[in-house]
Amino acid sequence: MKLTIALFGITRDIVGRPALELTVPAGQSVQQLLAELHQSFPALGQLRSLAVAVNNEYAQPETELQERDEIALIPPVSGG
């Protein structure tokens, strides 16, 4: 299945574009997606936290992804 992943903040800087399109096996989980992204973009694995939103809600690692899901990587936020 094809997934489109929106990237924000440092994740956009690491990947070098605002979105990624990936082809993954059907039934892939958020955890499996993150593992694949960390392999392709090792700097993502060095972030102290990285949340994944699916259809505008924070997703658990075991959440199963569907082809039409809206997926976003949400990096750690800092500020003052």
Side-chain angles (χ1 to χ4, degrees), residues 30-65:
V30 167
Q31 184 174 14
Q32 291 168 317
L33 174 65
L34 283 175
E36 186 173 323
L37 290 172
H38 290 165
Q39 187 172 24
S40 298
F41 303 96
L44 289 175
Q46 296 176 5
L47 297 175
R48 63 180 166 84
S49 68
L50 183 61
V52 177
V54 178
N55 300 322
N56 299 313
E57 293 191 17
Y58 286 107
Q60 298 299 314
E62 64 276 1
T63 300
E64 189 174 305
L65 300 170

Side-chain angles (χ1 to χ4, degrees), residues 1-6 19-22 24-30 33 52-60 62-73:
M1 71 180 166
K2 290 185 180 183
L3 300 177
T4 300
I5 303 153
L20 273 176
E21 290 191 14
L22 298 176
V24 300
Q28 188 167 46
S29 69
V30 167
L33 174 65
V52 177
V54 178
N55 300 322
N56 299 313
E57 293 191 17
Y58 286 107
Q60 298 299 314
E62 64 276 1
T63 300
E64 189 174 305
L65 300 170
Q66 305 297 320
E67 189 159 13
R68 293 195 181 349
D69 285 343
E70 293 180 12
I71 303 166
L73 294 187

